[in-house]
Amino acid sequence: MLALRRLPQAITGVAVALLLIPALASAQGFIARMLHHPVPGGIAVVSLGSDAAGSSATYMGSPVMILRDSDEQWIAVVGLGLETRVGDAGLQVRGRQGERTLSFAVQSREYPAQHIRLKNKSHVNPDPAQVKRFEREYKEQVDAYASFRPQGPSNISLDRPVDGGRLSSRFGLRRFFNGEERNPHSGLDFAVPTGTPVKAPADGVVTIVADYFFNGKTVFIDHGQGLVTMYCHLSAFEVHKGQQVTRGQVIAKVGATGRATGPHLHWNVSLNNARIDPAIFINAYQP
Ligand SMILES: [Zn+2]
């Protein structure tokens, strides 16, 4: 930022926007220490400084969450999808100082492979009608992930959505169904019996209540500022679309609907439309 002020007046507009300014001193507050894991499938916490009130930011074209941390610094909390390239990345920030691009470094993370046997062959290779159904359902979910309400979230350290339960499949596993590679595991699985109550980990608005081909019975909650959570393979719903929910409220019951080998909760967490490791938010992250 200081370097930018010293630039000759001639360098303006596009030229300035193309410069990558290293992020200010790394953030040190409570939220930054908990969330900053700048790897594919992780989160980059980028410090905006102490006088960045009213700023907005985008990453890869999506609006990004901005919070004030315990050390009084304003921070951008940037979700990094699994497809993120290792190396330098840029965050576009708009504030009182005008527009700037802050750079941050993405580090590497290795994800192990997981082999799953499915009896339902259509869950490995769906027929054309099932593919059509899946595409329609996929778009509905992509739209829900892209939601950005300016207020919220009520809390950034999330409660576990179920009591107890082993973490049975971690985020990011490269998955092979009956030997065929499919999308990596986009969430975190809790091994808990059918009927276990699922609770909202923060306040929010229910944006999807649906029965999907792969995900089975599914609920989406929009917690605000691009933080969206998804719960699938449910056996029963306790909420309806559009309902406001509060932290700790029961939203559904665990089940084994859709592409599931047994009862468990599959939980996705998304920030700025990027699916990221939910373990980060419940203090269970393993590098
Ligand atoms: Zn899962």
Side-chain angles (χ1 to χ4, degrees), residues 67 113 138:
L67 300 172
Y138 180 76

Side-chain angles (χ1 to χ4, degrees), residues 114 116 168-170 175 185-190 215 232-233 259 264-268:
Q114 179 188 39
I116 299 166
S168 48
S169 278
R170 289 205 165 248
R175 292 187 309 178
H185 194 223
S186 59
L188 178 62
D189 289 354
F190 297 84
N215 290 341
C232 31
H233 311 307
R259 186 174 64 186
H264 70 281
L265 175 68
H266 172 103
W267 185 40
N268 271 16

